Amino acid sequence: MNIILLGAPGAGKGTQARLISERIGAPPISTGKIIRAAIQSGTPAGLAAKALVDAGKLVPDDVVIAMLRERIAENDCKNGYILDGFPRNVHQAEALAKMGVVIDLVIDIEVADAQVEERLCGRRICGKCNAPYHVIYSPSSEGEYCEVCDGALIIREDDKPEIVRERLRIYHAETEPLMQYYREAGLLRQVTGQEKVEDTAAQVVELLGAFTR
């Protein structure tokens, strides 16, 4: 199966992609991770992407499409994959179709903007070892320092409130037409993102079961 996960930043797409992967044996593919790897590697595309990501902007379609084309050509994708963060707009969806990719199911995880802001703006990472924390859901017992290495906890640039709001604005502007695109194709299904991961997962599993019966 080839599955697309849609949802606002912080909706839990990455977590659900991993759970679906374990269930159907297809790899999760996050364009966000592909882009971050390019940024960390310091490639020309990565350096160009960094300035955009830090400002809450999207990386240009042609760059993302090229990165994705390379990834889905790898051997582990022969029997399907779960796309997390791609496509983001109708143009990318059309590019996917031009690659000859057949999508079986599109799952949209619906989460209110206020909840997204709480999730993202509360995230912290260790500046030394990258251990993840959240001021509400998984705070460090060491306060503003990492439990693992005592490094100072920091906020990622794209988790700052003004950046999160810009990301949400872009998401609604670009992704709502995309949802209509897949709705008209008869592929779109929606679940409501819950506070507990397992509650959202239960909806996704039920959906997958209904789809594959």
Side-chain angles (χ1 to χ4, degrees):
M1 292 179 69
N2 294 330
I3 297 173
I4 292 172
L5 287 182
L6 299 180
K13 298 186 297 297
T15 299
Q16 296 305 320
R18 288 192 296 273
L19 294 174
I20 296 171
S21 174
E22 292 169 3
R23 186 174 181 83
I24 70 173
I29 299 176
S30 165
T31 50
K33 287 184 178 179
I34 294 173
I35 291 167
R36 284 193 289 275
I39 290 172
Q40 290 176 352
S41 299
T43 64
L47 292 173
K50 184 178 187 305
L52 294 168
V53 170
D54 286 348
K57 305 293 184 181
L58 296 180
V59 177
D61 285 353
D62 57 342
V63 175
V64 179
I65 291 166
M67 290 179 175
L68 182 78
R69 183 182 289 110
E70 291 180 357
R71 177 65 185 90
I72 64 176
E74 295 180 16
N75 287 334
D76 64 335
C77 293
K78 286 183 177 179
N79 295 318
Y81 39 83
I82 303 114
L83 295 177
D84 163 16
F86 188 97
R88 288 184 183 273
N89 55 49
V90 172
H91 177 254
Q92 290 184 357
E94 291 171 342
L96 199 61
K98 287 178 182 177
M99 291 182 209
V101 173
V102 176
I103 298 300
D104 299 292
L105 178 64
V106 180
I107 301 174
D108 172 43
I109 304 174
E110 286 287 304
V111 178
D113 285 4
Q115 192 175 355
V116 168
E117 287 193 41
E118 180 182 86
R119 289 182 182 185
L120 296 187
C121 297
R123 294 196 301 196
R124 302 290 185 272
I125 59 170
C126 175
K128 289 174 64 178
C129 73
N130 290 323
Y133 297 92
H134 194 283
V135 296
I136 297 173
Y137 305 116
S138 55
S140 170
S141 61
E142 300 298 320
E144 297 181 3
Y145 295 91
C146 179
E147 296 174 356
V148 179
C149 70
D150 293 326
L153 302 185
I154 61 174
I155 304 174
R156 277 185 2 188
E157 283 295 320
D158 55 345
D159 283 342
K160 291 181 177 179
E162 64 276 14
I163 299 301
V164 169
R165 293 186 192 107
E166 175 65 7
R167 292 171 69 191
L168 283 169
R169 185 193 67 77
I170 293 173
Y171 169 75
H172 289 301
E174 297 231 330
T175 309
E176 286 176 6
L178 177 64
M179 287 194 288
Q180 183 61 26
Y181 175 90
Y182 284 120
R183 186 178 291 111
E184 290 175 358
L187 298 174
L188 184 70
R189 304 292 185 276
Q190 291 181 306
V191 299
T192 302
Q194 305 294 316
E195 192 167 305
K196 293 183 178 179
V197 169
E198 57 267 28
D199 291 340
T200 304
Q203 295 180 66
V204 172
V205 167
E206 183 178 354
L207 183 58
L208 287 172
F211 184 81
T212 55
R213 277 200 293 268

